[in-house]
Amino acid sequence: MKKGFITAPAVAVFLLLVSGCSRTGQDVMSLMPRPGSSAGWRWDIEPEIYTPETLFEYIDGEAEHYIDYNFIEMATSSHARTEDEFASFTIDVYDMGNPLNAFGIYSSHRRPELEFEPIGEEAIVSELNISFYKGRFFVQLSAGSMEQVVKEAVRVQAVRLASRIEAMAEPQELSFLPRSDRLPHTLQYLARGFLGQAAFERALQARYELPSGECSAFVVLKESNEDARQALTGFRENLNRQGQLTGEAAESNSARLVALTQYYGKITVQAHSRFVVGIVDYQEQAEADDLLATITASLAASGLAGL
């Protein structure tokens, strides 16, 4: 990538890309701030686009994580103060294809102890970074220094970007795990490898507060009940093969597993319609069963359980 002022041909190419979207609706380049959009700031690095084939050139070591979430393309640009090139910030806009994937990649960055603000659907905010998601886009803004003028510019651009991104309906999948007793900012969507299981891809998980303590709950999205049962069978076999299964209740069968495991603690998992639903690391079986019943009722209410 080249540093410096933007040449006239580069601006012409940028405007051509803005006017000719390759996908329906907004594209990543159209969301990039244009030259001179903020007084006292200029492009420091010309906007560039990365695809699944080239993303490793920009974030080597993390590219596969984004690709797991069906990443489409991203645009990046760097901005510097006109009179001080060391006062800079970077904007990265990722098109994740749909709102669920955008939430998923965002949720992989958040932890409950971080600070959050209502920018976009939700934003993680720190002194040097703002990350948020809205619609099918995930956005990261990174300050190049601790100067107040830089931090203020990052916030201004984050709010502007969020206002320009078209809103989309919240993915229905985010309602599968009920809000009641769910700990704030713990809901995540994982594209693959949940609990280390290849068959547990496309999973939602969250932490819950039960009377006896915290636990985790999850829903794995499958195509059919047969797929869900096969995934549960594979999970049981893997626990046995890895020596993690230390006890199993008599009620366990092809559709339900209640067990004590070496690494996950107590676990109750069942195949329900086209989902694998589970409670992990709990204390009281009755509480886990109640939460499991609440989740399966939520799935039934969604209208998607029988699809």
Side-chain angles (χ1 to χ4, degrees):
M1 293 182 288
K2 298 180 180 179
K3 288 192 173 184
F5 290 95
I6 307 304
T7 62
V11 173
V13 170
F14 168 74
L15 294 177
L16 179 62
L17 286 167
V18 169
S19 62
C21 299
S22 59
R23 304 183 70 240
T24 302
Q26 296 175 304
D27 63 15
V28 289
M29 205 55 131
S30 71
L31 295 171
M32 288 286 104
R34 298 192 182 197
S37 61
S38 294
W41 292 88
R42 60 174 174 84
W43 273 342
D44 187 40
I45 297 178
E46 299 178 9
E48 293 191 1
I49 283 185
Y50 292 87
T51 66
E53 292 72 31
T54 60
L55 186 61
F56 73 93
E57 297 174 6
Y58 186 68
I59 50 170
D60 190 20
E62 290 186 64
E64 286 299 324
H65 181 56
Y66 285 80
I67 292 170
D68 284 346
Y69 286 90
N70 296 320
F71 156 76
I72 303 295
E73 64 179 2
M74 70 88 72
T76 182
S77 63
S78 183
H79 305 257
R81 290 281 288 173
T82 304
E83 69 274 12
D84 180 7
E85 66 179 15
F86 296 104
S88 64
F89 64 90
T90 301
I91 299 175
D92 298 333
V93 179
Y94 295 80
D95 183 347
M96 302 305 301
N98 62 49
L100 182 60
N101 289 331
F103 168 80
I105 200 70
Y106 168 80
S107 70
S108 72
H109 289 81
R110 73 175 178 179
R111 299 185 303 279
E113 66 270 19
L114 299 177
E115 295 185 9
F116 302 89
E117 293 187 17
I119 301 174
E121 297 298 334
E122 181 185 271
I124 303 167
V125 177
S126 67
E127 284 196 296
L128 291 176
N129 299 281
I130 296 178
S131 302
F132 69 89
Y133 75 102
K134 184 178 179 182
R136 69 175 197 262
F137 297 98
F138 170 65
V139 181
Q140 289 184 308
L141 300 96
S142 303
S145 70
M146 292 291 291
E147 294 177 66
Q148 189 62 30
V149 66
V150 177
K151 292 190 285 187
E152 290 175 356
V154 166
R155 178 172 294 277
V156 167
Q157 290 295 343
V159 173
R160 284 182 181 174
L161 261 172
S163 69
R164 293 174 59 198
I165 295 174
E166 297 172 356
M168 299 178 72
E170 180 179 272
Q172 193 166 16
E173 292 88 346
L174 301 189
S175 67
F176 287 176
L177 288 172
R179 292 181 181 274
S180 179
D181 299 324
R182 193 174 78 198
L183 295 174
H185 309 297
T186 63
L187 179 64
Q188 290 184 300
Y189 171 62
L190 300 97
R192 64 177 58 201
F194 179 63
L195 294 182
Q197 305 298 306
F200 281 8
E201 56 186 15
R202 300 188 66 227
L204 294 142
Q205 72 163 345
R207 295 289 290 175
Y208 282 82
E209 184 69 55
L210 300 180
S212 61
E214 292 185 17
C215 71
S216 291
F218 66 87
V219 175
V220 179
L221 315 180
K222 307 302 289 185
E223 296 299 321
S224 67
N225 182 250
E226 181 180 357
D227 289 342
R229 284 173 175 261
Q230 288 179 353
L232 179 55
T233 298
F235 181 50
R236 178 187 286 107
E237 292 173 351
N238 285 340
L239 290 177
N240 274 315
R241 185 167 54 251
Q242 297 168 13
Q244 295 186 32
L245 196 59
T246 59
E248 189 169 358
E251 66 180 294
S252 296
N253 53 50
S254 61
R256 180 176 168 91
L257 167 68
V258 181
L260 176 64
T261 65
Q262 183 177 355
Y263 298 118
Y264 306 129
K266 292 181 178 179
I267 182 167
T268 295
V269 189
Q270 73 179 56
H272 172 78
S273 183
R274 63 183 185 90
F275 306 99
V276 180
V277 186
I279 313 297
V280 182
D281 192 27
Y282 56 88
Q283 298 299 316
E284 300 294 333
Q285 187 64 47
E287 294 175 1
D289 289 341
D290 286 345
L291 180 54
L292 198 65
T294 300
I295 294 171
T296 55
S298 177
L299 292 172
S302 72
L304 296 178
L307 295 182

